[in-house]
């Protein structure tokens, strides 16, 4: 034994010692549950590629949201799934106070008040017939500034429907500044902006596109980042901070833990990471085959995202984890 004094295993000898020296904690309050609410359905609808996750009806959403809040999750992130016939070129249903997302926000705001942090996805892709996150110009390209004007309307409608947090996820340049100005001008100075600051163009969003019935053809590579670019991610984060982001987010999580770490090292505001649909689907599928222990793998993955520096983690396991940890 060359170094008899160095025996790190001493600190692993009992559960109590391990608990005493644990560097990273994972608690329900760190976790945000993304939820889907669909228009025109009578029963919750299973999402085959995300076992255990459903498209909710308004009523089933209210029950599941209340349960998640009782279980102790830190917040809820809501996505709306309109009927196909309500999709159009500019995503009008997202802005419409009577659209499914805004209606559901009012339901949850009435039920839950300030008992939780109510967040909304501030993006057009669920509501456009072409499935892009923005408004297209005559040549079919996503028009940055026209899209930002639409995001402002979306954010104000969500704030007016009771969202405490708006989550611009479309990766338009200047979206945070535009939304901040628009919210302030409408009197919503207290509404928080959770900026999807470094969002990568990722194959791991596949199951989400099933979940929202996305109409997208092609890809989002002219607005979402290439997976190899970490320096560019920091530039995106710095711009969003300068524009007034209250919380910044990196997405996906597991394939981008270096970016989460780099963000945590420089950010003066809380850092979130989104464990996306494909991350959930992979672990769930392996567990369903008996190839890994699903619960242990989920907890390990979430602990790793916290260890990398995320203060907040969006995960489809949020409510389950809250149950497992108590
Ligand atoms: C865009 C949005 C997406 C996700 C969250 N917000 C999809 C995309 O960019 O294609 C993906 C979330 C997930 O995969 O779990 N509104």
């Amino acid at each position: 034994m060359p170094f008899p004094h160095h025996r790190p295993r001493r600190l692993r000898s009992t559960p109590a010692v391990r608990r005493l020296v644990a560097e990273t904690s994972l608690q329900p309050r760190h976790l945000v549950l993304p939820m889907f609410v669909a228009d025109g359905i009578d029963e919750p609808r299973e999402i085959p590629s995300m076992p255990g996750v459903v498209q909710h009806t308004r009523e089933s959403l209210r029950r599941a949201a209340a349960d998640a809040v009782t279980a102790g999750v830190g917040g809820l992130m809501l996505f709306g799934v309109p009927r196909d016939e309500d999709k159009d070129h500019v995503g009008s249903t997202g802005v419409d106070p009577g659209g499914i997302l805004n209606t559901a926000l009012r339901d949850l705001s009435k039920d839950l008040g300030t008992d939780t942090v109510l967040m909304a996805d501030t993006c057009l892709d669920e509501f456009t017939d072409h499935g892009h996150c923005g408004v297209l110009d005559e040549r079919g390209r996503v028009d940055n500034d026209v899209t930002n004007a639409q995001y402002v309307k979306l954010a104000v409608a969500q704030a007016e429907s009771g969202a405490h947090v708006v989550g611009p996820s479309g990766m338009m340049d200047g979206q945070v500044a535009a939304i901040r100005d628009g919210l302030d001008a409408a009197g919503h100075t207290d509404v928080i902006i959770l900026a999807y600051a470094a969002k990568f163009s990722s194959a791991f969003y596949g199951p989400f596109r099933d979940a929202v019935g996305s109409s997208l053809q092609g890809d989002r590579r002219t607005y979402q980042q290439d997976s190899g670019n970490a320096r560019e991610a920091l530039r995106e984060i710095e711009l969003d901070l300068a524009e007034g982001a209250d919380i910044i987010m990196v997405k996906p999580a597991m394939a981008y833990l270096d970016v989460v770490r780099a963000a945590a090292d420089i950010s003066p505001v809380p850092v979130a990471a989104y464990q996306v649909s494909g991350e959930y689907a992979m672990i769930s599928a392996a567990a369903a085959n008996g190839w890994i222990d699903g619960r242990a793998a989920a907890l390990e993955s979430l602990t790793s995202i916290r260890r990398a520096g995320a203060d907040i983690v969006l995960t489809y396991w949020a409510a389950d984890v809250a149950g497992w940890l108590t």
Side-chain angles (χ1 to χ4, degrees), residues 193-206:
I193 300 181
L194 162 62
Y196 288 61
K199 178 170 177 184
F200 291 88
S201 180
S202 174
F204 294 107
Y205 306 147

Side-chain angles (χ1 to χ4, degrees), residues 50 79 121 123 125-126 133 169 196 199 204-206 208-209 220 224 251 274-278 316:
M50 301 175 73
F79 294 90
D121 185 54
C123 197
D125 62 316
E126 291 99 34
C133 294
S169 64
Y196 288 61
K199 178 170 177 184
F204 294 107
Y205 306 147
F208 175 92
R209 298 198 183 149
R220 305 199 195 287
Q224 298 180 349
K251 176 182 176 186
Y274 196 142
Q275 182 181 57
V276 301
S277 57
Y316 299 96

Side-chain angles (χ1 to χ4, degrees), residues 26-103:
L26 178 68
Q27 294 165 10
R29 71 171 184 95
H30 298 127
L31 306 177
V32 171
L33 179 64
M35 305 183 88
F36 303 101
V37 58
D39 201 3
I41 60 171
D42 298 326
E43 292 292 327
R45 190 183 287 166
E46 306 268 338
I47 301 163
S49 50
M50 301 175 73
V53 180
V54 299
Q55 288 183 353
H56 282 290
T57 66
R58 276 176 67 187
E59 277 313 306
S60 73
L61 177 80
R62 293 175 60 186
R63 285 192 297 274
D67 288 347
V69 171
T70 304
V73 303
L76 307 172
M77 169 63 83
L78 216 54
F79 294 90
V81 185
R83 296 182 302 187
D84 276 341
E85 57 267 37
D86 291 333
K87 295 183 181 184
D88 66 13
H89 234 57
V90 296
S92 311
T93 301
V95 175
D96 182 350
I100 183 63
L101 178 54
N102 295 320
T103 302

Side-chain angles (χ1 to χ4, degrees), residues 217-237:
Q217 307 280 326
D219 60 53
R220 305 199 195 287
R221 289 182 164 278
T222 69
Y223 40 107
Q224 298 180 349
Q225 289 188 249
D226 281 355
S227 58
N229 293 0
R231 182 169 54 200
E232 186 187 343
L234 283 177
R235 181 171 181 227
E236 286 281 7
I237 288 165

